[in-house]
């Protein structure tokens, strides 16, 4: 049983995992089981080139950034369980126990973070009732988002990145994932507002 399972190995999903991973020393996080399904094949970063992203050298390819981000996650926070080469087809159940069914396995989790992009090919059974037209994309692109209030779709279900209705910009997607991570940390901290910073002090 996961305490949180993140679906999507793109910017928003990995950003969420990195912030959760960096909070491992907090007493209310030390016993939490965190996983991420790292499917990246359909990420918009596969064709991206970055010249305008904070902290990233100009000319960086999105495809390289995807690989580096998972390597960074594995090296810095090996307690985060990475699940590669699986695609989610169905979500069953309600908070606090969800069943996540992939093409290879079935997992259970108390909380779910969905960050797999806003393509209109989205087809995860159990979440289709939340699908609506993307409010910040050009209509002709036929993008979709999951209906949410401040990233929360329903109790225990969060959405991040472009699928949350944000524009396709690396910094925005990263911030979206980090924001949800701090919401989950606050939940685990019995509602006391919290976040995680690594520090040289």
């Amino acid at each position: 049983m996961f305490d949180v399972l993140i679906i999507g190995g793109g910017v928003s999903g990995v950003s969420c995992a990195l912030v959760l991973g960096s909070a491992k020393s907090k007493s209310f996080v030390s016993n939490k089981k965190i996983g991420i399904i790292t499917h990246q094949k359909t990420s918009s970063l596969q064709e991206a080139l970055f010249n305008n992203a904070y902290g990233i050298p100009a000319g960086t390819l999105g495809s390289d950034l995807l690989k580096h981000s998972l390597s960074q996650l594995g090296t810095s926070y090996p307690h985060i369980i990475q699940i590669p080469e699986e695609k989610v087809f169905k979500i069953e159940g309600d908070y606090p126990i969800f069943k996540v069914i992939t093409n290879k396995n079935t997992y259970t989790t108390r909380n779910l973070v969905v960050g797999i992009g806003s393509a209109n090919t989205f087809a995860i059974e159990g979440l289709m009732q939340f699908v609506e037209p993307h409010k910040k994309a050009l209509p002709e692109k036929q993008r979709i988002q999951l209906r949410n209030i401040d990233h929360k779709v329903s109790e225990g279900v969060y959405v991040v990145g472009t699928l949350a209705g944000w524009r396709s910009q690396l910094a925005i997607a990263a911030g979206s994932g980090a924001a949800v991570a701090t919401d989950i940390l606050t939940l685990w901290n019995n509602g006391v507002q919290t976040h995680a910073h690594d520090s040289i002090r």
Side-chain angles (χ1 to χ4, degrees):
M1 168 76 79
F2 287 97
D3 290 283
V4 62
L5 184 59
I6 302 163
I7 301 173
V11 177
S12 59
V14 176
S15 294
C16 184
L18 286 166
V19 173
L20 290 173
S22 70
K24 64 182 178 179
S25 62
K26 294 182 182 290
S27 60
F28 55 86
V29 180
S30 60
N31 65 340
K32 301 299 185 189
K33 185 176 179 181
I34 303 164
I36 178 170
I37 296 175
T38 59
H39 189 270
Q40 294 182 327
K41 290 180 182 177
T42 57
S43 172
S44 58
L45 261 69
Q46 294 290 2
E47 299 176 346
L49 170 67
F50 292 103
N51 292 314
N52 65 350
Y54 179 82
I56 297 174
T60 298
L61 295 175
S63 56
D64 291 338
L65 192 60
L66 285 169
K67 294 173 192 171
H68 174 73
S69 67
L70 291 182
S71 176
Q72 176 188 355
L73 179 63
T75 300
S76 299
Y77 309 115
H79 64 288
I80 305 278
I81 299 168
Q82 293 191 36
I83 304 169
E85 299 178 2
E86 294 190 31
K87 187 174 181 180
V88 175
F89 288 121
K90 188 175 183 180
I91 308 295
E92 293 181 346
D94 295 294
Y95 183 79
I97 300 177
F98 297 97
K99 187 182 290 186
V100 178
I101 301 167
T102 77
N103 58 322
K104 296 181 180 180
N105 292 293
T106 298
Y107 305 95
T108 55
T109 184
R110 293 184 175 88
N111 295 280
L112 189 63
V113 178
V114 187
I116 58 172
S118 57
N120 62 10
T121 53
F122 181 91
I124 297 179
E125 187 179 341
L127 295 177
M128 297 306 294
Q129 68 271 31
F130 301 111
V131 171
E132 62 183 17
H134 199 290
K135 295 175 182 175
K136 293 186 177 181
L138 294 170
E140 57 266 29
K141 290 196 173 183
Q142 299 182 324
R143 300 294 185 190
I144 60 99
Q145 65 181 60
L146 296 187
R147 185 171 61 252
N148 68 91
I149 297 175
D150 192 21
H151 294 97
K152 192 171 185 178
V153 176
S154 62
E155 197 63 35
V157 179
Y158 302 85
V159 61
V160 292
T162 57
L163 192 61
W166 298 105
R167 292 187 178 91
S168 181
Q169 199 82 22
L170 184 140
I172 296 173
S176 174
V180 167
T182 61
D183 287 345
I184 291 169
L185 293 176
T186 296
L187 175 71
W188 290 344
N189 196 25
N190 295 315
V192 178
Q193 296 293 334
T194 192
H195 52 268
H197 291 302
D198 296 322
S199 174
I200 61 172
R201 286 184 299 175

